[in-house]
Amino acid sequence: MTKALMLRTCNSDMSRSGGFIWPAQGPVSAPDWKPIPGCGNGLHGLLWGAGDGDLINWDSDAKWLVCEVELEKVVDLKGTIKVPACVVVHCGNQRSATGYLLSHGGEGKAITGTIITAGAMGT
């Protein structure tokens, strides 16, 4: 089984759509999983952080999660994905989560929300 990382956000109390509460770490599964294309019925996020930035919670107190997923179970929803289960491997803010992705296989990918600082003469 091939592992990949998924980026997602939650409200400050770790809640999201329909009142679902995400853990700050460890395994989580969708109680309503259906492997059909379409919103709902799964755990949603951006594969390797790439996708529709309008789906990210940009509030300053939002929690940014990085989750390990099984690539074979990913349902592609064009701009986002959904999975039946995942493991939360990082919970933090925008900078820490995107930094985690960058340092754990995301280098060179279009990670939504990444903040890059360049030094003198940097771009």
Side-chain angles (χ1 to χ4, degrees):
M1 105 184 81
T2 306
K3 301 286 186 174
L5 295 177
M6 172 180 83
L7 176 68
R8 64 157 296 106
T9 54
C10 296
N11 298 321
S12 62
D13 65 357
M14 300 298 287
S15 68
R16 203 53 183 153
S17 303
F20 186 83
I21 305 293
W22 280 77
Q25 65 179 18
V28 59
S29 60
D32 62 346
W33 171 248
K34 290 182 186 166
I36 55 175
C39 290
N41 305 113
L43 304 174
H44 294 75
L46 307 179
L47 187 61
W48 290 109
D52 187 350
D54 287 340
L55 301 174
I56 294 294
N57 180 344
W58 295 99
D59 292 346
S60 61
D61 63 349
K63 300 292 185 184
W64 288 60
L65 307 181
V66 179
C67 307
E68 186 177 80
V69 301
E70 292 180 28
L71 207 48
E72 296 81 6
K73 296 183 178 178
V74 166
V75 175
D76 185 1
L77 302 176
K78 309 296 182 216
T80 186
I81 62 166
K82 73 178 183 180
V83 293
C86 62
V87 178
V88 178
V89 295
H90 177 85
C91 176
N93 59 27
Q94 178 181 350
R95 186 178 292 272
S96 70
T98 57
Y100 186 96
L101 277 169
L102 280 170
S103 63
H104 289 86
E107 187 174 327
K109 294 178 173 50
I111 300 171
T112 302
T114 301
I115 300 168
I116 304 291
T117 303
M121 305 294 284
T123 308

